[in-house]
Amino acid sequence: MKLFLIRHAESANNRLALDLGYDEYMAQRYIDPPLTELGRRQAQMVAQHLADNQHPERPSEQSAAPERSGYGITHLYCSAMLRSLETAAPIGQALGLRPAIWIDIHEHGGMFRGNPRTGEGLEVAPGLNRRQIQEQFPDVLIPDEVTDEGWWFQGYEDMPACYGRATRVARDLRRRAQELSNNEVEESVALVSHGTFIDSLIKALFNQIPAREFYYQHYNTAITRIDFMPDGVLLIRYINRIQHLPPDMVSR
């Protein structure tokens, strides 16, 4: 099984964080930020790149689905956060896939605004509900966990809880890869997720939790590829690839 981890395109919070210190940013951040204009352009570019038959690896390997273009992605997942949905939508259109929401790949913290360090102004929200997602993203497959009230019904999620969630996702991915290998089936799975969660998931896959002294940085729409080999070995092909973006469109 091939796993592609794709960070969402630039969001309004990413843009806001460039000009503000931590406390001021936390007070002003959006609970569920949309993409910026740059972010929408980035999402279109990564979608075209993933569907393009000229990507570097294609001549040297067999695709999991030869009839599919580009990276041969067979399954596309995203979180229920707006910036992930807005990034996954053009990718799904370019690849001819319906994105499926995977609740557990949301960003660290959950749906919140305010300062988690001090508790000042801290508030949480339930996120988009089923009707809102269906109206805005009619092609998206919505799990039962997204209700008529939303999908986030907890308080602020701390890092230990995020690591626990990443460990659960890593376990699910390993189990899926093993079942595919046992049945001699190949898949190429793409997750459109978030910076801190992608860092946590990579650490969970390689038994590096709770390492906080290093971080797997991903620019907006950066791609990381990890192959699950039949013998259980994980092979990192590349991390934080952004060759689809011109220099003036790279953002963090």
Side-chain angles (χ1 to χ4, degrees), residues 12-246:
N13 280 353
N14 295 149
R15 173 61 60 178
L16 190 66
L18 294 176
D19 303 318
L20 301 177
Y22 177 85
D23 290 343
E24 191 176 3
Y25 165 70
M26 285 298 178
Q28 296 186 31
R29 72 186 298 276
Y30 296 80
I31 290 180
D32 198 9
L35 297 184
T36 63
E37 175 58 32
L38 172 60
R40 289 189 288 273
R41 290 164 55 207
Q42 291 171 336
Q44 290 292 339
M45 294 195 76
V46 74
Q48 294 167 10
H49 174 74
L50 292 169
D52 190 345
N53 288 331
Q54 301 304 310
H55 81 88
E57 286 76 33
R58 190 169 180 88
S60 63
E61 62 182 32
Q62 292 294 319
S63 169
E67 73 279 6
R68 294 196 179 276
S69 62
Y71 282 59
I73 293 170
T74 57
H75 296 78
L76 175 63
Y77 298 92
C78 63
S79 81
M81 289 177 161
L82 179 58
R83 55 199 185 275
S84 180
L85 287 159
E86 288 185 330
T87 304
I91 295 174
Q93 292 170 2
L95 298 179
L97 296 172
R98 296 184 67 185
I101 291 176
W102 188 344
I103 293 292
D104 270 352
I105 65 172
H106 68 77
E107 182 57 304
H108 157 245
M111 300 293 295
F112 78 98
R113 175 170 50 219
N115 194 325
R117 294 178 180 174
T118 65
E120 182 179 358
L122 194 62
E123 58 178 295
V124 296
L128 295 171
N129 61 37
R130 290 189 76 85
R131 179 184 57 78
Q132 291 170 323
I133 294 175
Q134 288 169 342
E135 290 177 352
Q136 295 182 58
F137 306 99
D139 292 334
V140 169
L141 300 172
I142 307 173
D144 292 340
E145 296 98 311
V146 180
T147 71
D148 293 338
E149 287 73 43
W151 60 272
W152 182 254
F153 305 106
Q154 307 174 49
Y156 173 78
E157 178 196 59
D158 59 18
M159 278 307 303
C162 179
Y163 282 149
R165 180 164 50 86
T167 299
R168 184 166 64 247
V169 172
R171 183 177 61 246
D172 290 344
L173 290 169
R174 282 187 175 275
R175 183 186 303 115
R176 178 173 182 160
Q178 187 60 59
E179 290 174 353
L180 291 169
S181 179
N182 291 343
N183 294 311
E184 298 184 343
V185 175
E186 293 187 24
E187 286 185 354
S188 293
V189 176
L191 308 185
V192 180
S193 188
H194 307 260
T196 298
F197 183 74
I198 291 176
D199 166 73
S200 301
L201 179 57
I202 294 173
K203 288 173 179 174
L205 286 168
F206 290 93
N207 299 313
Q208 295 171 328
I209 285 177
R212 299 296 298 274
E213 65 273 16
F214 62 91
Y215 186 90
Y216 292 105
Q217 173 69 46
H218 286 74
Y219 293 111
N220 294 119
T221 69
I223 306 168
T224 284
R225 173 179 162 181
I226 301 172
D227 290 0
F228 291 69
M229 308 305 288
D231 59 1
V233 170
L234 298 185
L235 181 61
I236 300 178
R237 293 288 188 180
Y238 45 80
I239 292 179
N240 195 32
R241 177 179 282 183
I242 51 170
Q243 66 181 54
H244 56 281
L245 296 177

